[in-house]
Amino acid sequence: MNLKMSNISIEFPGVRALDRASFEMETGQAHALIGANGAGKSTLMKVLSGVYNHYSGEIYLDGELIDIRSPKDARRHGIQIVYQEVDTALVSSLTVAENIMLNALVANKEKKLMIDWKRLHQQAAVILETLQVKLPTRKLVSELSLAEKQMVLIARAVSTECKFLILDEPTAPLSMTETKQLFRVVNELKQKDVGVIFISHRLPELFEICEEITVMRNGCYISRERTSETSATRVIEHMLGKSLEAQFPERRQTAGEVVLEAAHISDGDKVDDVSLTVRAGEIIGVAGLVGAGKTELCKLLFGAEKLKAGTISLRGKNVTIASPTEAVRQRIALVPEERRKEGVLVEESVVTNLTASSLGNFLKRFSFVDVKKERTKAEEMIEALAIKTPSPAATVKHLSGGNQQKVAIGKWLIADSDLYIFDEPTKGVDVGAKKDIFELIAGLADRGKAIIYASCELAEVLGITDRVYVLYDGRMTKELVTSTTNEEELLYLSTGGK
């Protein structure tokens, strides 16, 4: 079956998100849809899945013009989408089976029919079995891992007549093992003649699982090629509209005094007897796979998790960081992994977000905010970080992922901290925005700031850091000088190698 989108255009206040964009694919294959943040790929798929209905253009199935103006329309034509934020699409208090069969339950409720619970669990079990996914149907969704929740959503999608399945950044929160499991399920779906659309920034994975790749830029269609007939470099050049330059900035290490020293710290759960130091002007890496305890370590240093054992000292003095408020007072900044949940206020403006961590600097008499001063500072930061926004007053939720990440970083630049902790700062960010973020982090180090860079992207850790601590199962396995190690050694240590 052939799917074709032609001349799709859509506008939001101040933004033309799609400009006569096109997309075409067949069932029975996986098709990558990629582009820089703000290229329009997610918007195009939201049109296809019925989320946005105020677009112009045509959608065809096997040459027949169809009208999709709601998610119900999309499902009727066999088009389903699984978003990156899986929790928003699941009911955590219901079981695996109830979540898989949710569409059928809603239909039953509309018809006021009695529900055969035994049959419902049997149907869910059959669907999971066809995908070769082993999950107890009576288990509550609240007890599942992120990868398992993703499988529940995929099972829900194929519980109806699914012809095209859209996966939005499906591997971003997954470990290597979980990613392999997802790819196995995708291959199963291809065998069943389902077309799978992958939105992702992880090019090696796309070349592994997808037969074709479509590139978008600035809301427009750029190219469509067989993955076997192109290369990652060529694809990146299509994404950026220019040749690919060196991704990591050149740096001269000028490490100064010790800013932070953590000795044998533990949280009683995910972080176990960890020690590390970071100096002024130095970027240290915390490398490890998904689930190694990197995020928990970052939160522990920022006071968002309770310290159960060990000591933390700042500039040679022992401190107790019992809360994020205390961490900010001690001039520590955290740019968290989950930027939409913890890094930015998605319903607020760019200005509000950028000045949120330093609001005291913009107060006049009687605690009124100096709006003009606040906006001027925000505009300076927008220009300095090249944040793409229609205006400083634009709501952050309408920005692309890369620009949201820049806002999350920008608010701490205005606050001017001494220690910056970056937890997976390039998660869900395209190649162009990654380069901007790397230069920004290197610039902070050049200004004498101490940097902790926690990531499972080992190539990035090698490219940006001076020293690396490898984390496995909550424990530090080794400290390395970055220039003397390689990706193979980091991966070996990250998987428990001695």
Side-chain angles (χ1 to χ4, degrees), residues 66-77:
I66 61 172
D67 191 34
I68 296 178
R69 300 290 167 175
S70 70
K72 190 174 181 180
D73 290 339
R75 286 195 299 271
R76 192 172 67 250
H77 291 293

Side-chain angles (χ1 to χ4, degrees), residues 209-250:
I209 194 69
C210 297
E211 285 78 23
E212 290 194 313
I213 190 162
T214 290
V215 179
M216 293 184 69
R217 186 171 70 245
N218 296 331
C220 301
Y221 163 88
I222 298 299
S223 66
R224 175 190 177 192
E225 295 178 298
R226 301 284 300 175
T227 49
S228 58
E229 297 170 1
T230 188
S231 67
T233 301
R234 179 178 165 89
V235 166
I236 291 169
E237 288 175 354
H238 283 166
M239 287 169 61
L240 300 179
K242 58 186 178 183
S243 60
L244 180 64
E245 300 168 2
Q247 197 172 19
F248 301 104
E250 288 187 18

Side-chain angles (χ1 to χ4, degrees), residues 30-44:
H31 193 118
L33 178 61
I34 68 167
N37 288 106
K41 53 194 184 297
S42 292
T43 304
L44 186 65

Side-chain angles (χ1 to χ4, degrees), residues 190-430:
K190 288 195 286 188
Q191 292 297 316
K192 298 181 187 339
D193 200 36
V194 175
V196 181
I197 303 169
F198 253 82
I199 303 175
S200 179
H201 294 298
R202 294 181 167 183
L203 289 180
E205 294 178 354
L206 296 179
F207 275 83
E208 179 183 343
I209 194 69
C210 297
E211 285 78 23
E212 290 194 313
I213 190 162
T214 290
V215 179
M216 293 184 69
R217 186 171 70 245
N218 296 331
C220 301
Y221 163 88
I222 298 299
S223 66
R224 175 190 177 192
E225 295 178 298
R226 301 284 300 175
T227 49
S228 58
E229 297 170 1
T230 188
S231 67
T233 301
R234 179 178 165 89
V235 166
I236 291 169
E237 288 175 354
H238 283 166
M239 287 169 61
L240 300 179
K242 58 186 178 183
S243 60
L244 180 64
E245 300 168 2
Q247 197 172 19
F248 301 104
E250 288 187 18
R251 294 180 54 244
R252 286 183 303 165
Q253 185 185 349
T254 53
E257 65 169 353
V258 173
V259 174
L260 175 136
E261 182 173 6
H264 308 289
I265 61 171
S266 302
D267 67 356
D269 185 19
K270 298 287 188 181
V271 179
D272 183 15
D273 192 30
V274 169
S275 298
L276 59 83
T277 61
V278 56
R279 298 173 182 275
E282 184 181 39
I283 304 174
I284 68 152
V286 176
L289 304 181
V290 172
K294 300 185 303 299
T295 293
E296 291 78 9
L297 174 60
C298 292
K299 288 184 175 181
L300 190 59
L301 294 172
F302 191 62
E305 297 290 344
K306 190 174 181 182
L307 185 69
K308 295 291 179 65
T311 60
I312 295 174
S313 66
L314 289 171
R315 302 168 205 88
K317 294 181 180 179
N318 281 2
V319 294
T320 300
I321 305 174
S323 69
T325 302
E326 177 61 21
V328 173
R329 200 176 68 80
Q330 295 283 359
R331 298 174 66 84
I332 300 173
L334 169 65
V335 179
E337 177 183 14
E338 296 296 334
R339 57 178 171 262
R340 288 184 68 88
K341 284 184 185 177
E342 302 166 348
V344 292
L345 304 166
V346 292
E347 298 294 340
E348 299 294 338
S349 70
V350 175
V351 171
T352 299
N353 273 274
L354 286 172
T355 58
S357 297
S358 53
L359 203 56
N361 297 338
F362 304 100
L363 295 181
K364 298 189 292 186
R365 291 180 64 194
F366 308 115
S367 296
F368 286 109
V369 174
D370 187 334
V371 177
K372 186 177 179 182
K373 184 180 176 183
E374 183 187 33
R375 185 182 174 99
T376 299
K377 191 65 180 176
E379 286 173 342
E380 288 175 7
M381 192 55 62
I382 289 167
E383 184 177 354
L385 299 185
I387 298 170
K388 291 182 181 177
T389 176
S391 82
T395 307
V396 163
K397 70 178 179 182
H398 292 138
L399 303 188
S400 67
N403 287 302
Q404 287 182 9
Q405 190 73 313
K406 288 180 182 180
V407 170
I409 295 169
K411 72 178 183 183
W412 292 114
L413 298 186
I414 292 175
D416 192 32
S417 303
D418 292 336
L419 171 66
Y420 288 82
I421 305 170
F422 293 90
D423 183 14
E424 300 288 358
T426 63
K427 178 181 174 181
V429 170
D430 70 79

Side-chain angles (χ1 to χ4, degrees), residues 29-103:
Q29 62 174 277
H31 193 118
L33 178 61
I34 68 167
N37 288 106
K41 53 194 184 297
S42 292
T43 304
L44 186 65
M45 290 300 102
K46 284 180 178 178
V47 167
L48 181 60
S49 58
V51 175
Y52 296 142
N53 59 16
H54 62 289
Y55 65 91
S56 61
E58 302 83 39
I59 303 173
Y60 299 91
L61 272 181
D62 273 348
E64 181 184 344
L65 181 65
I66 61 172
D67 191 34
I68 296 178
R69 300 290 167 175
S70 70
K72 190 174 181 180
D73 290 339
R75 286 195 299 271
R76 192 172 67 250
H77 291 293
I79 298 164
Q80 303 264 11
I81 187 166
V82 175
Y83 294 107
Q84 183 181 348
E85 292 87 3
V86 292
D87 286 313
T88 60
L90 293 168
V91 183
S92 60
S93 58
L94 297 182
T95 64
V96 167
E98 289 164 340
N99 271 278
I100 291 173
M101 305 305 294
L102 198 59
N103 294 333

Side-chain angles (χ1 to χ4, degrees), residues 155-192:
R156 181 198 293 173
V158 300
S159 69
T160 55
E161 190 63 33
C162 183
K163 297 168 186 171
F164 293 94
L165 178 65
I166 306 160
L167 300 177
D168 188 1
E169 291 287 350
T171 63
L174 305 186
S175 67
M176 285 192 298
T177 303
E178 291 166 338
T179 297
K180 286 179 182 177
Q181 163 83 333
L182 174 67
F183 284 4
R184 186 192 56 70
V185 170
V186 168
N187 285 323
E188 288 282 331
L189 292 171
K190 288 195 286 188
Q191 292 297 316
K192 298 181 187 339

